[in-house]
């Protein structure tokens, strides 16, 4: 078992359950930007930062029976719910993994919608921009989301709350 798989299992162990593939992608990316040692590579994609590696790792963990994936039918789409299994927890307990505590960050992330986390992760992806350029960039790359300036301000405050300066 590779260390990166174990790190992902540790995330699920702390999170308990994650609802939605998009939310999972955004949560891991945001934690990575908060200096958590996740190593998945991300590219900018239709819904913001996306990692093919994360999708493959999650699928592998599901195939091993360490992560449970439940497919839930919504009105016009499927939503996926992920949680660590008993076998996954048992395996993780035997794995010597040195991960920082991410409980606080995960709880903050779980409390937000995937739409909001898409905004936060997009802002973190372009974190080299000034605040005014950031707002312009968000409106350029995410026109269909119609993010308001208030939402961008809320996302800026959320980023400061979840990743305080060290």
């Amino acid at each position: 078992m590779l260390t990166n798989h174990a790190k992902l299992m540790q995330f699920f162990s702390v999170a308990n359950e994650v609802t939605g593939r998009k939310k999972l992608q955004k949560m891991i990316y945001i934690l990575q930007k908060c200096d958590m040692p996740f190593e998945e590579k991300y590219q900018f994609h239709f819904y913001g930062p996306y990692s093919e590696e994360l999708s493959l790792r999650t699928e592998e963990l599901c195939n091993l029976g360490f992560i449970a994936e439940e497919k839930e039918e919504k009105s016009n789409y499927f939503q996926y719910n992920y949680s660590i299994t008993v076998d996954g927890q048992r395996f993780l307990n035997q794995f010597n993994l040195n991960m920082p505590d991410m409980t606080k960050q995960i709880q903050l992330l779980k409390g937000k919608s995937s739409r909001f986390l898409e905004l936060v992760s997009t802002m973190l992806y372009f974190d080299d921009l000034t605040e005014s350029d950031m707002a312009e960039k968000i409106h350029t790359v995410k026109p269909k989301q119609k993010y308001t300036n208030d939402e961008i301000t809320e996302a800026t405050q959320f980023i400061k709350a979840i990743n305080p300066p060290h």
Side-chain angles (χ1 to χ4, degrees), residues 43-141:
Q43 297 103 17
F44 199 76
H45 200 259
F46 186 70
Y47 295 110
Y50 171 80
S51 172
E52 181 68 26
E53 283 179 295
L54 177 58
S55 292
L56 291 171
R57 271 193 195 115
T58 304
E59 191 178 324
E60 289 165 355
L61 290 170
C62 289
N63 291 339
L64 288 167
F66 291 158
I67 301 293
E69 176 186 71
E70 286 184 35
K71 188 175 175 180
E72 187 181 344
E73 193 168 351
K74 296 291 187 179
S75 53
N76 59 347
Y77 67 97
F78 289 104
Q79 182 168 288
Y80 295 84
N81 298 313
Y82 296 95
S83 57
I84 193 165
T85 65
V86 172
D87 285 345
Q89 191 63 58
R90 202 174 290 134
F91 184 88
L92 187 59
N93 291 344
Q94 295 172 6
F95 205 89
N96 188 11
L97 190 65
N98 188 16
M99 284 284 282
D101 183 17
M102 53 188 157
T103 309
K104 180 181 168 249
Q105 286 95 336
I106 289 174
Q107 291 313 312
L108 287 169
L109 291 165
K110 282 183 69 174
K112 298 297 182 185
S113 69
S114 59
R115 180 181 183 276
F116 182 76
L117 296 182
E118 182 178 337
L119 172 59
V120 169
S121 62
T122 300
M123 290 173 69
L124 287 169
Y125 193 84
F126 297 110
D127 61 2
D128 57 330
L129 299 177
T130 64
E131 276 191 46
S132 59
D133 288 346
M134 175 72 70
E136 194 176 311
K137 186 71 164 182
I138 295 297
H139 295 305
T140 303
V141 299

Side-chain angles (χ1 to χ4, degrees), residues 2-27:
L2 299 171
T3 304
N4 287 326
H5 289 75
K7 289 177 183 179
L8 191 54
M9 287 174 57
Q10 178 66 36
F11 163 81
F12 282 113
S13 178
V14 174
N16 222 7
E17 183 180 58
V18 176
T19 302
R21 288 177 172 170
K22 181 165 85 169
K23 190 166 189 171
L24 172 61
Q25 285 277 340
K26 303 314 164 216
M27 288 176 76

